[in-house]
Tab-separated table of all heavy atoms in Angstrom:
chain	number	residue	atom	x	y	z
A	172	TRP	N	17.853	-3.713	17.895
A	172	TRP	CA	17.250	-3.690	19.251
A	172	TRP	C	16.270	-2.465	19.355
A	172	TRP	O	15.268	-2.596	20.139
A	172	TRP	CB	18.360	-3.548	20.296
A	172	TRP	CG	17.788	-3.632	21.707
A	172	TRP	CD1	17.840	-2.644	22.696
A	172	TRP	CD2	17.136	-4.788	22.360
A	172	TRP	NE1	17.265	-2.994	23.786
A	172	TRP	CE2	16.842	-4.329	23.644
A	172	TRP	CE3	16.755	-5.920	21.916
A	172	TRP	CZ2	16.117	-5.120	24.553
A	172	TRP	CZ3	16.073	-6.843	22.794
A	172	TRP	CH2	15.785	-6.393	24.076
A	173	VAL	N	16.476	-1.422	18.703
A	173	VAL	CA	15.618	-0.255	18.771
A	173	VAL	C	14.210	-0.583	18.374
A	173	VAL	O	13.295	-0.070	18.945
A	173	VAL	CB	16.185	0.974	17.945
A	173	VAL	CG1	16.142	0.706	16.498
A	173	VAL	CG2	15.416	2.261	18.217
A	174	PHE	N	14.076	-1.467	17.401
A	174	PHE	CA	12.712	-1.969	17.015
A	174	PHE	C	12.014	-2.638	18.118
A	174	PHE	O	10.771	-2.437	18.397
A	174	PHE	CB	12.708	-2.750	15.814
A	174	PHE	CG	13.094	-2.073	14.537
A	174	PHE	CD1	14.395	-1.951	14.095
A	174	PHE	CD2	12.112	-1.343	13.791
A	174	PHE	CE1	14.753	-1.207	12.898
A	174	PHE	CE2	12.496	-0.604	12.601
A	174	PHE	CZ	13.814	-0.590	12.245
A	175	PHE	N	12.698	-3.490	18.881
A	175	PHE	CA	12.152	-4.176	19.998
A	175	PHE	C	11.770	-3.202	21.061
A	175	PHE	O	10.720	-3.378	21.717
A	175	PHE	CB	13.038	-5.234	20.561
A	175	PHE	CG	13.234	-6.428	19.634
A	175	PHE	CD1	14.390	-6.517	18.756
A	175	PHE	CD2	12.356	-7.411	19.599
A	175	PHE	CE1	14.496	-7.542	17.864
A	175	PHE	CE2	12.480	-8.486	18.766
A	175	PHE	CZ	13.559	-8.600	17.908
A	176	VAL	N	12.575	-2.235	21.384
A	176	VAL	CA	12.327	-1.209	22.427
A	176	VAL	C	11.086	-0.446	22.058
A	176	VAL	O	10.226	-0.245	22.918
A	176	VAL	CB	13.537	-0.319	22.689
A	176	VAL	CG1	13.211	0.748	23.637
A	176	VAL	CG2	14.699	-1.178	23.174
A	177	VAL	N	11.096	0.086	20.875
A	177	VAL	CA	9.885	0.883	20.433
A	177	VAL	C	8.655	0.071	20.621
A	177	VAL	O	7.633	0.638	21.152
A	177	VAL	CB	10.144	1.431	19.006
A	177	VAL	CG1	8.780	2.002	18.407
A	177	VAL	CG2	11.231	2.450	18.890
A	178	ASN	N	8.587	-1.077	20.077
A	178	ASN	CA	7.339	-1.956	20.148
A	178	ASN	C	6.977	-2.309	21.552
A	178	ASN	O	5.789	-2.219	22.012
A	178	ASN	CB	7.526	-3.179	19.299
A	178	ASN	CG	7.375	-2.824	17.848
A	178	ASN	OD1	6.453	-2.073	17.413
A	178	ASN	ND2	8.263	-3.379	16.971
A	179	ALA	N	7.925	-2.704	22.398
A	179	ALA	CA	7.635	-3.105	23.764
A	179	ALA	C	7.256	-1.887	24.603
A	179	ALA	O	6.244	-2.012	25.396
A	179	ALA	CB	8.896	-3.744	24.397
A	180	LEU	N	7.816	-0.748	24.419
A	180	LEU	CA	7.399	0.476	25.105
A	180	LEU	C	6.019	0.875	24.691
A	180	LEU	O	5.167	1.222	25.621
A	180	LEU	CB	8.391	1.600	24.848
A	180	LEU	CG	8.215	2.838	25.697
A	180	LEU	CD1	8.170	2.612	27.187
A	180	LEU	CD2	9.361	3.819	25.387
A	181	SER	N	5.740	0.817	23.454
A	181	SER	CA	4.369	1.233	22.944
A	181	SER	C	3.336	0.255	23.540
A	181	SER	O	2.287	0.745	23.993
A	181	SER	CB	4.346	1.118	21.413
A	181	SER	OG	3.055	1.372	20.975
A	182	GLU	N	3.590	-1.028	23.528
A	182	GLU	CA	2.619	-1.967	24.064
A	182	GLU	C	2.468	-1.852	25.566
A	182	GLU	O	1.382	-1.872	26.068
A	182	GLU	CB	3.065	-3.428	23.701
A	182	GLU	CG	2.154	-4.540	24.227
A	182	GLU	CD	0.714	-4.471	23.551
A	182	GLU	OE1	0.571	-3.881	22.487
A	182	GLU	OE2	-0.237	-4.926	24.213
A	183	SER	N	3.582	-1.636	26.256
A	183	SER	CA	3.540	-1.425	27.747
A	183	SER	C	2.694	-0.176	28.082
A	183	SER	O	1.886	-0.244	29.010
A	183	SER	CB	4.949	-1.340	28.330
A	183	SER	OG	5.637	-2.471	28.050
A	184	LEU	N	2.964	0.910	27.373
A	184	LEU	CA	2.238	2.124	27.639
A	184	LEU	C	0.755	1.940	27.359
A	184	LEU	O	-0.177	2.367	28.108
A	184	LEU	CB	2.776	3.293	26.814
A	184	LEU	CG	4.179	3.784	27.274
A	184	LEU	CD1	4.713	4.812	26.204
A	184	LEU	CD2	4.064	4.482	28.594
A	185	HIS	N	0.447	1.247	26.254
A	185	HIS	CA	-1.046	0.991	25.845
A	185	HIS	C	-1.632	0.207	26.975
A	185	HIS	O	-2.819	0.555	27.452
A	185	HIS	CB	-1.106	0.266	24.516
A	185	HIS	CG	-2.425	-0.135	24.268
A	185	HIS	ND1	-3.499	0.701	23.827
A	185	HIS	CD2	-2.981	-1.439	24.229
A	185	HIS	CE1	-4.570	0.002	23.631
A	185	HIS	NE2	-4.333	-1.266	23.841
A	186	ARG	N	-1.001	-0.864	27.398
A	186	ARG	CA	-1.635	-1.676	28.465
A	186	ARG	C	-1.826	-0.926	29.817
A	186	ARG	O	-2.768	-1.077	30.449
A	186	ARG	CB	-0.690	-2.853	28.825
A	186	ARG	CG	-0.705	-3.925	27.726
A	186	ARG	CD	0.297	-5.072	28.095
A	186	ARG	NE	0.339	-6.118	27.028
A	186	ARG	CZ	1.027	-7.235	27.275
A	186	ARG	NH1	1.605	-7.545	28.381
A	186	ARG	NH2	0.975	-8.137	26.296
A	187	GLU	N	-0.815	-0.064	30.137
A	187	GLU	CA	-0.945	0.670	31.361
A	187	GLU	C	-2.107	1.768	31.244
A	187	GLU	O	-2.789	1.936	32.273
A	187	GLU	CB	0.420	1.412	31.726
A	187	GLU	CG	0.437	2.085	33.032
A	187	GLU	CD	0.204	1.105	34.315
A	187	GLU	OE1	0.364	-0.059	34.167
A	187	GLU	OE2	-0.041	1.645	35.325
A	188	PHE	N	-2.140	2.493	30.145
A	188	PHE	CA	-3.176	3.398	29.982
A	188	PHE	C	-4.565	2.743	30.011
A	188	PHE	O	-5.477	3.293	30.636
A	188	PHE	CB	-3.008	4.269	28.722
A	188	PHE	CG	-1.935	5.265	28.698
A	188	PHE	CD1	-1.014	5.316	27.727
A	188	PHE	CD2	-1.792	6.153	29.833
A	188	PHE	CE1	0.101	6.266	27.735
A	188	PHE	CE2	-0.785	7.040	29.831
A	188	PHE	CZ	0.172	7.149	28.785
A	189	THR	N	-4.689	1.609	29.367
A	189	THR	CA	-5.911	0.839	29.431
A	189	THR	C	-6.250	0.399	30.846
A	189	THR	O	-7.405	0.559	31.301
A	189	THR	CB	-5.771	-0.382	28.489
A	189	THR	OG1	-5.565	0.055	27.148
A	189	THR	CG2	-7.079	-1.185	28.505
A	190	ARG	N	-5.249	-0.071	31.555
A	190	ARG	CA	-5.469	-0.557	32.977
A	190	ARG	C	-5.968	0.618	33.819
A	190	ARG	O	-6.771	0.424	34.683
A	190	ARG	CB	-4.125	-1.097	33.494
A	190	ARG	CG	-4.208	-1.703	34.823
A	190	ARG	CD	-2.870	-2.301	35.196
A	190	ARG	NE	-2.006	-1.385	35.801
A	190	ARG	CZ	-1.970	-1.002	37.043
A	190	ARG	NH1	-2.828	-1.478	37.899
A	190	ARG	NH2	-1.080	-0.089	37.471
A	191	ARG	N	-5.413	1.813	33.545
A	191	ARG	CA	-5.858	2.975	34.408
A	191	ARG	C	-7.075	3.623	33.844
A	191	ARG	O	-7.520	4.653	34.502
A	191	ARG	CB	-4.741	3.941	34.398
A	191	ARG	CG	-3.469	3.483	35.168
A	191	ARG	CD	-2.451	4.561	35.273
A	191	ARG	NE	-1.171	4.151	35.824
A	191	ARG	CZ	-0.270	4.990	36.354
A	191	ARG	NH1	-0.510	6.290	36.375
A	191	ARG	NH2	0.835	4.477	36.945
A	192	GLY	N	-7.593	3.237	32.761
A	192	GLY	CA	-8.775	3.822	32.164
A	192	GLY	C	-8.472	5.120	31.546
A	192	GLY	O	-9.364	5.991	31.447
A	193	MET	N	-7.250	5.353	31.096
A	193	MET	CA	-6.859	6.589	30.463
A	193	MET	C	-6.907	6.421	28.975
A	193	MET	O	-6.477	5.399	28.454
A	193	MET	CB	-5.434	7.013	30.909
A	193	MET	CG	-5.276	7.238	32.402
A	193	MET	SD	-3.546	7.335	32.979
A	193	MET	CE	-3.108	8.975	32.371
A	194	VAL	N	-7.511	7.357	28.275
A	194	VAL	CA	-7.634	7.323	26.826
A	194	VAL	C	-6.380	7.868	26.175
A	194	VAL	O	-6.006	8.995	26.396
A	194	VAL	CB	-8.915	7.977	26.324
A	194	VAL	CG1	-9.023	7.979	24.857
A	194	VAL	CG2	-10.108	7.505	27.051
A	195	GLU	N	-5.748	7.087	25.411
A	195	GLU	CA	-4.630	7.481	24.620
A	195	GLU	C	-4.703	6.825	23.228
A	195	GLU	O	-5.559	6.023	22.962
A	195	GLU	CB	-3.256	7.095	25.341
A	195	GLU	CG	-2.875	7.905	26.539
A	195	GLU	CD	-2.686	9.402	26.186
A	195	GLU	OE1	-2.159	9.678	25.081
A	195	GLU	OE2	-2.927	10.246	27.055
A	196	GLU	N	-3.816	7.193	22.381
A	196	GLU	CA	-3.726	6.554	21.057
A	196	GLU	C	-3.506	5.044	21.284
A	196	GLU	O	-2.907	4.593	22.249
A	196	GLU	CB	-2.726	7.169	20.152
A	196	GLU	CG	-1.269	7.116	20.761
A	196	GLU	CD	-0.291	7.856	19.919
A	196	GLU	OE1	0.112	7.281	18.847
A	196	GLU	OE2	0.087	8.942	20.315
A	197	PRO	N	-3.975	4.186	20.337
A	197	PRO	CA	-3.829	2.734	20.501
A	197	PRO	C	-2.449	2.227	20.664
A	197	PRO	O	-2.266	1.270	21.348
A	197	PRO	CB	-4.487	2.149	19.253
A	197	PRO	CG	-5.206	3.276	18.585
A	197	PRO	CD	-4.599	4.590	19.082
A	198	GLN	N	-1.466	2.734	19.945
A	198	GLN	CA	-0.114	2.344	20.115
A	198	GLN	C	0.763	3.608	20.350
A	198	GLN	O	1.433	4.176	19.538
A	198	GLN	CB	0.362	1.655	18.750
A	198	GLN	CG	-0.458	0.432	18.481
A	198	GLN	CD	-0.014	-0.173	17.146
A	198	GLN	OE1	0.108	0.614	16.170
A	198	GLN	NE2	0.076	-1.506	17.047
A	199	PRO	N	0.822	4.009	21.629
A	199	PRO	CA	1.443	5.257	22.014
A	199	PRO	C	2.939	5.328	21.579
A	199	PRO	O	3.712	4.492	21.977
A	199	PRO	CB	1.348	5.241	23.519
A	199	PRO	CG	0.282	4.250	23.847
A	199	PRO	CD	0.276	3.276	22.786
A	200	GLY	N	3.202	6.320	20.692
A	200	GLY	CA	4.563	6.589	20.351
A	200	GLY	C	5.169	5.643	19.259
A	200	GLY	O	6.267	5.855	18.786
A	201	ARG	N	4.417	4.591	18.892
A	201	ARG	CA	4.993	3.561	18.010
A	201	ARG	C	5.349	4.116	16.642
A	201	ARG	O	6.448	3.907	16.101
A	201	ARG	CB	4.000	2.434	17.890
A	201	ARG	CG	4.557	1.224	17.056
A	201	ARG	CD	3.649	0.013	17.150
A	201	ARG	NE	4.236	-1.100	16.459
A	201	ARG	CZ	4.041	-1.427	15.155
A	201	ARG	NH1	3.252	-0.633	14.480
A	201	ARG	NH2	4.567	-2.454	14.713
A	202	SER	N	4.454	4.858	15.986
A	202	SER	CA	4.741	5.389	14.629
A	202	SER	C	5.974	6.262	14.663
A	202	SER	O	6.783	6.085	13.808
A	202	SER	CB	3.507	6.146	14.150
A	202	SER	OG	2.408	5.381	14.127
A	203	LEU	N	6.060	7.140	15.550
A	203	LEU	CA	7.229	8.069	15.610
A	203	LEU	C	8.404	7.302	15.906
A	203	LEU	O	9.510	7.551	15.343
A	203	LEU	CB	6.955	9.088	16.667
A	203	LEU	CG	7.703	10.379	16.624
A	203	LEU	CD1	7.716	11.068	15.239
A	203	LEU	CD2	7.150	11.355	17.647
A	204	GLY	N	8.419	6.288	16.835
A	204	GLY	CA	9.613	5.495	17.144
A	204	GLY	C	10.064	4.697	15.961
A	204	GLY	O	11.234	4.535	15.715
A	205	LEU	N	9.076	4.135	15.233
A	205	LEU	CA	9.446	3.332	14.057
A	205	LEU	C	10.091	4.167	12.988
A	205	LEU	O	11.014	3.735	12.285
A	205	LEU	CB	8.282	2.454	13.553
A	205	LEU	CG	7.893	1.349	14.423
A	205	LEU	CD1	6.590	0.648	13.878
A	205	LEU	CD2	9.068	0.314	14.617
A	206	ALA	N	9.516	5.327	12.795
A	206	ALA	CA	10.122	6.302	11.818
A	206	ALA	C	11.508	6.631	12.119
A	206	ALA	O	12.369	6.660	11.228
A	206	ALA	CB	9.174	7.612	11.795
A	207	TYR	N	11.789	6.912	13.393
A	207	TYR	CA	13.126	7.193	13.858
A	207	TYR	C	14.094	5.996	13.571
A	207	TYR	O	15.198	6.130	13.053
A	207	TYR	CB	13.084	7.600	15.373
A	207	TYR	CG	14.295	7.053	16.199
A	207	TYR	CD1	15.618	7.497	15.957
A	207	TYR	CD2	14.088	6.156	17.239
A	207	TYR	CE1	16.619	7.066	16.661
A	207	TYR	CE2	15.189	5.743	17.972
A	207	TYR	CZ	16.395	6.166	17.728
A	207	TYR	OH	17.441	5.783	18.440
A	208	ALA	N	13.620	4.769	13.880
A	208	ALA	CA	14.453	3.582	13.714
A	208	ALA	C	14.720	3.287	12.212
A	208	ALA	O	15.871	3.038	11.815
A	208	ALA	CB	13.725	2.413	14.359
A	209	ILE	N	13.663	3.401	11.360
A	209	ILE	CA	13.835	3.177	9.925
A	209	ILE	C	14.792	4.227	9.358
A	209	ILE	O	15.664	3.879	8.548
A	209	ILE	CB	12.489	3.102	9.247
A	209	ILE	CG1	11.690	1.851	9.739
A	209	ILE	CG2	12.610	3.122	7.745
A	209	ILE	CD1	10.255	1.816	9.398
A	210	LEU	N	14.516	5.488	9.671
A	210	LEU	CA	15.364	6.516	9.136
A	210	LEU	C	16.836	6.439	9.530
A	210	LEU	O	17.714	6.731	8.772
A	210	LEU	CB	14.795	7.926	9.473
A	210	LEU	CG	13.565	8.303	8.710
A	210	LEU	CD1	12.903	9.538	9.326
A	210	LEU	CD2	13.831	8.480	7.236
A	211	SER	N	17.059	5.889	10.730
A	211	SER	CA	18.382	5.674	11.245
A	211	SER	C	19.132	4.711	10.310
A	211	SER	O	20.291	4.828	10.012
A	211	SER	CB	18.341	5.164	12.659
A	211	SER	OG	17.922	6.166	13.541
A	212	ILE	N	18.434	3.599	9.976
A	212	ILE	CA	19.002	2.658	9.125
A	212	ILE	C	19.254	3.161	7.706
A	212	ILE	O	20.273	2.948	7.122
A	212	ILE	CB	18.088	1.327	9.068
A	212	ILE	CG1	18.145	0.652	10.432
A	212	ILE	CG2	18.553	0.385	7.972
A	212	ILE	CD1	17.154	-0.535	10.484
A	213	LEU	N	18.307	3.907	7.242
A	213	LEU	CA	18.424	4.465	5.875
A	213	LEU	C	19.574	5.547	5.825
A	213	LEU	O	20.062	5.858	4.769
A	213	LEU	CB	17.148	5.144	5.406
A	213	LEU	CG	15.974	4.222	5.186
A	213	LEU	CD1	14.691	4.991	4.865
A	213	LEU	CD2	16.312	3.154	4.107
A	214	GLY	N	19.961	6.019	7.036
A	214	GLY	CA	21.050	6.994	7.035
A	214	GLY	C	22.389	6.490	6.548
A	214	GLY	O	23.304	7.232	6.321
A	215	ILE	N	22.586	5.191	6.445
A	215	ILE	CA	23.832	4.549	5.954
A	215	ILE	C	23.928	4.560	4.494
A	215	ILE	O	24.935	4.272	3.897
A	215	ILE	CB	24.135	3.184	6.581
A	215	ILE	CG1	23.088	2.198	6.066
A	215	ILE	CG2	24.224	3.280	8.116
A	215	ILE	CD1	23.353	0.799	6.500
A	216	ILE	N	22.816	4.833	3.777
A	216	ILE	CA	22.837	4.800	2.275
A	216	ILE	C	23.536	6.105	1.751
A	216	ILE	O	23.227	7.146	2.179
A	216	ILE	CB	21.377	4.782	1.788
A	216	ILE	CG1	20.670	3.469	2.214
A	216	ILE	CG2	21.311	4.844	0.221
A	216	ILE	CD1	19.220	3.439	1.885
A	217	PRO	N	24.520	5.854	0.898
A	217	PRO	CA	25.189	7.029	0.346
A	217	PRO	C	24.215	7.972	-0.378
A	217	PRO	O	23.229	7.627	-0.888
A	217	PRO	CB	26.165	6.352	-0.691
A	217	PRO	CG	26.308	4.971	-0.248
A	217	PRO	CD	24.971	4.583	0.369
């Protein structure tokens, strides 16, 4: 679920910033969120 949340939040923020004419990165927070999600899964590896 964390992957869905990160992607949906990133897309929602991007759409809202675009709607308001605010300049932000193309996928706000997505890279950092995906890094957190992937590293969390890798945390189970011995």
Side-chain angles (χ1 to χ4, degrees):
W172 186 245
V173 67
F174 289 94
F175 289 98
V176 172
V177 165
N178 285 315
L180 186 54
S181 175
E182 181 62 26
S183 297
L184 288 170
H185 172 70
R186 288 180 180 187
E187 186 64 16
F188 286 132
T189 301
R190 188 175 82 83
R191 293 187 186 197
M193 300 168 75
V194 179
E195 284 299 327
E196 59 186 283
Q198 298 174 320
R201 185 172 186 268
S202 300
L203 199 51
L205 289 178
Y207 143 63
I209 292 166
L210 288 169
S211 294
I212 292 172
L213 294 176
I215 64 171
I216 298 173

